[in-house]
Amino acid sequence: MLKKVLVANRGEIAVRIIRTCRDMGITTVAVYSEADRFSMHARMADEAYCIGGATAQESYLNTAAILEVLEKSGADSVHPGYGFFSENTDFARAVTGQGAIFIGPPPEAIETMGDKISSRIAARAAGVDGVPGTVEPITDPAQVIAFGNSQGWPVAIKAAYGGGGRGMKVVASPDEVGEALESAKREALAYFGREETYMERYLAWPRHIEMQIIVDNFGNAVWMGERDCSCQRRHQKLVEESPAPDFPEEIRQAMGEAAVKVAVACGYRNAGTVEFLYQDGEFYFLEMNTRLQVEHPVTELVTGTDLVALQLKVAAGEPLGFSQEDVRSNGHAIEVRINAEDPTEGRFLPSPGTLTMLTPPGGPGVRLDSGYETGDTVSQHYDNLIAKLIVWANDRETARTRMLRALGETRIEGVSTTIPADILILSHPDFAAAKHSTRWVESTLDLTQLGKPLDRQDVLDAASAGTASASASKETPGTPLQATAPTAQLAERDVTAEIDGRRYRVRMWVPTAYISDTGGQSASRAPSAKRPSRRAPTSSTSTSTAGTGNISAPMHGTIIKVLVSVGDVIESGQTVCVLEAMKMEHSLESPRSGKVKVVHVSAGDYVAAGDEIIVIE
Ligand code: MV4
């Protein structure tokens, strides 16, 4: 077995890996940036070494510094976690070149699955089909039109060397093809440096279902059940669960076998995930993730395994110790991500800061994988995932209500969190009925209501049901969920209420923030003057100064791409540049059509909130 593992990551996943190592009696070595000197993962590990400045480039992506720690510490292996170096073959090869074990797949498998074309070809060679379409680059709009006319509309045009949904254009009819193809190529070039595109039949309401696999060095490859990750917003997963609801057993079997075939065909070892789109009883290969995934705990809870322990075992050259027939799924698990983001009005703006309080939930079937404790700081330099909350119960509905209970117990103060959005999703009838798909969050769910003042009945309900204490806002008096937290100022009021035509005198305790200055007995809407000042009411992707048409930065961050130049004629809604803030990318869209007059920024520039970026004539 491995004796000493270097964990080349930070936050919750580093803590997660350290915990399993400790369970197994393996010594751990943490690496940390200057910003993470006092962080939880550095505190928890047996040894910890500083690897450089605050930015990821200077620290967690600093190969030389990490390899030096590998040497200095005498660790025999490296776990990359997810993100950072987890799918970087240069790093993996450097680790093995130094005589240590890279806890992950062979670099050749990472390379095969690294782009859409080669992974689609590899999957097809293994007998597993993607969505019907092509793999050859599109050279003429007529090819798309011919494909749409024979296979049906809409057609999805995708970046051949892309991923994560970028550069995908959906065309509903032949007359949209020319423009969409040009725009897809432009985006593909800007994002991925290659403009090749290919096409697929567009699935209108698919679910994202992924299969966990693990392979040892003795030819034992097993699938460990699926995860339904259909709840996503702008390709960021919000909620994941296993088993996938309303998913027939024979399809599960077929998908599991397909995932194993893909893994075996590319010479895979260790843990991996094969992603599929599922619609109308059919599933299609999408891509393979050659790393441990954020949402792996839901699989652990239903299969009763520790996937990190299995990763360490396989990496050490030991057999898995079980085969396909031994894998059982029991009950239902759901995970939600708790990010330091302010979801008010659906904007999800980064909210770094110090956690003045983090009180975890507890009780039966509840697991919190956190990278932070009270007093720790969520830095603007990294991914803003604070913690993952995972619950288990015998059945989906019990797990769902248990998740709402656990979210209600979770108290995080000092930063805003996505907990109100998580509650909105988990309590929605469509989610309860498992009617959601990959488009549900963005097309059906109304996230814009988040953080708005409640009406009187809502305050009453929240106060009596006690469901709204999962407060998460910096803006203490502004959000209703915060308002009923135990720390809020409450005032006693007698009101008259009519329920089903019957009149009641009700005594209620109302957050003072919702009481008007006149002190009347009504819990009126919060006067706008009492609400904290906010940034201009723009969405996180589209920002403009009405009338002028100029585009300014909605938050501070770094410009990573500029997609337009002076003189370009652009349309309303067209993406003009991409801003990165706290490891999240935000596409800034033009508020109107016009001609680009001035471009103030280029890739690499730092911008402050409100800085003018582009002027449109
Ligand atoms: C699709 C699709 C519908 N039809 N392909 C987006 C991410 C990228 N990896 C694949 N994506 C999609 N491809 C066809 N032919 C719908 C999506 C999609 C999606 C997929 C998985 C999870 C969330 C999604 C959200 C929007 C669109």
Side-chain angles (χ1 to χ4, degrees), residues 116 131 156 158 163-165 168 200-203 206 208 229 232 235 275 277 286-287 438-439:
K116 290 199 93 86
V131 184
K158 295 187 171 187
M168 179 171 116
E200 287 176 359
R201 191 159 68 77
Y202 177 71
L203 307 176
H208 170 125
C229 309
Q232 309 198 2
H235 308 294
E275 293 185 353
L277 289 178
L286 199 53
E287 51 196 72
T438 49
R439 278 176 52 213

Side-chain angles (χ1 to χ4, degrees), residues 255-274:
M255 187 184 278
E257 284 159 22
V260 164
K261 276 198 272 183
V262 170
V264 169
C266 72
Y268 205 84
R269 295 281 181 279
N270 217 293
T273 298
V274 184

Side-chain angles (χ1 to χ4, degrees), residues 515-534:
I515 301 172
S516 68
D517 292 334
T518 54
Q521 65 166 20
S522 68
S524 66
R525 283 183 178 276
S528 58
K530 285 199 164 187
R531 300 185 65 197
S533 64
R534 289 212 176 93

